[in-house]
């Protein structure tokens, strides 16, 4: 069995930025889920599904990039799609500050993930 080098090549600046955007989006999505639960109602349940999907995808995407998974580019593409869907769902409540924070974090993450999905990782 061959031994791996003690230190791995550091993540590129673009990948680090994408990981940070994913983790920031994940955090805001978690906060937004709590907000949706407090509001209740069928409209919030629809939004919550998108927020939950986005929270899971962003966390998984960041994890896969950090461990340099060969599936990272594909995961980034899926993550961008989940973020777009979440941003759209959150935009259905434009007067809610938390929803607008979530939509903005999702838009930023989607943009970063789209860029990474096109890059060679």
């Amino acid at each position: 069995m061959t031994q791996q080098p003690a230190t791995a090549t550091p993540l590129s600046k673009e990948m680090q930025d994408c990981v940070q955007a994913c983790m920031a989006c994940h955090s805001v999505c978690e906060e937004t889920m709590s907000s949706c639960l407090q509001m209740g109602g069928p409209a919030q349940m629809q939004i919550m599904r998108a927020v939950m999907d986005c929270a899971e995808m962003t966390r998984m995407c960041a994890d896969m990039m950090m461990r340099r998974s060969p599936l990272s580019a594909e995961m980034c593409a899926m993550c961008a799609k989940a973020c777009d869907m979440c941003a759209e769902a959150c935009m259905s409540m434009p007067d809610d500050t938390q929803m607008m924070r979530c939509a903005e974090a999702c838009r930023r993450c989607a943009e970063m993930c789209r860029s990474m999905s096109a890059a060679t990782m």
Side-chain angles (χ1 to χ4, degrees):
M1 189 159 132
T2 60
Q3 218 168 359
Q4 301 246 330
T7 58
T9 307
L11 296 178
S12 69
K13 169 81 168 101
E14 294 80 14
M15 198 176 284
Q16 288 175 24
D17 290 348
C18 190
V19 167
Q20 288 175 351
C22 283
M23 294 310 294
C25 187
H26 172 77
S27 178
V28 173
C29 284
E30 290 288 333
E31 293 168 11
T32 304
M33 277 191 270
S34 178
S35 178
C36 282
L37 285 170
Q38 288 175 2
M39 285 186 250
Q44 282 68 28
M45 291 301 113
Q46 291 282 5
I47 294 168
M48 195 155 150
R49 284 187 190 99
V51 173
M52 290 172 72
D53 286 351
C54 189
E56 287 298 316
M57 293 292 280
T58 52
R59 183 196 52 77
M60 188 183 309
C61 189
D63 289 350
M64 291 177 81
M65 282 187 287
M66 286 188 285
R67 69 175 173 257
R68 294 165 182 81
S69 169
L71 299 173
S72 291
E74 291 90 343
M75 187 64 196
C76 283
M78 287 294 298
C79 188
K81 185 174 183 178
C83 287
D84 286 339
M85 291 172 67
C86 187
E88 187 176 317
C90 289
M91 291 302 293
S92 69
M93 297 185 70
D95 296 332
D96 187 288
T97 306
Q98 181 63 38
M99 293 295 175
M100 293 303 96
R101 279 185 63 228
C102 189
E104 180 57 34
C106 288
R107 278 192 224 103
R108 182 176 190 288
C109 187
E111 181 182 318
M112 300 289 292
C113 283
R114 257 189 293 284
S115 175
M116 289 308 302
S117 70
T120 305
M121 293 192 201

